[in-house]
Amino acid sequence: AITLLSTEEKHTLLTTFNQTEAPYPQDQSLVALFEAQVARTPDNIALVFEGQSLTYRELNGRANQLARQIRQTYREIQQTALSADTLVALYLDRSPEMVISILAVLKAGAAYVPISPEYPAERSTFILEDTRAPVVITHAPQRAQV
């Protein structure tokens, strides 16, 4: 019941310092915004993880390569082109590959479903069965768990 902050200090902390709104282009997708950033700053660092770093150009190139592979794999499995309502499961730990995979799935025109390898096996199985994801992206060591 004791108030430690004055009304002015409380307003500053909760309102002034919390003004994080920024204009967001409503007419462009995340992929389009990312590719615009790649065009502006291709050699700037886009991703850093445990001593590893990727430039925007490298990240975009790897995401494009994986996006092509996703579309091709889907076409081989389903005998049809990938549609916007297709779910692709990402069974990955936090890593550069997770970011690359998220971008790749979006570039392929699908939606991703993140599944942590730390989930209990029953939860992962339930998610896979519930989503009926025709494509699962994972690391080779985790492949046997999926």
Side-chain angles (χ1 to χ4, degrees), residues 15-72:
T15 306
T16 307
F17 290 164
N18 200 25
Q19 291 180 351
T20 57
E21 290 183 26
Y24 181 80
Q26 299 294 316
D27 60 336
Q28 293 181 335
S29 68
L30 176 65
V31 170
L33 292 170
F34 176 75
E35 289 181 351
Q37 184 66 37
V38 172
R40 280 193 305 275
T41 59
D43 298 317
N44 286 9
I45 301 296
L47 177 71
V48 176
F49 182 80
E50 294 182 354
Q52 245 185 313
S53 65
L54 292 173
T55 64
Y56 281 99
R57 183 189 329 264
E58 292 168 331
L59 179 56
N60 192 47
R62 290 178 65 181
N64 286 340
Q65 182 179 17
L66 183 56
R68 283 189 297 275
Q69 185 64 44
I70 291 168
R71 285 191 296 267
Q72 180 182 348

Side-chain angles (χ1 to χ4, degrees), residues 58-91:
E58 292 168 331
L59 179 56
N60 192 47
R62 290 178 65 181
N64 286 340
Q65 182 179 17
L66 183 56
R68 283 189 297 275
Q69 185 64 44
I70 291 168
R71 285 191 296 267
Q72 180 182 348
T73 300
Y74 182 84
R75 191 174 299 113
E76 290 170 3
I77 293 169
Q78 301 293 325
Q79 302 299 313
T80 186
L82 185 135
S83 62
D85 61 348
T86 301
L87 299 176
V88 175
L90 304 181
Y91 189 76

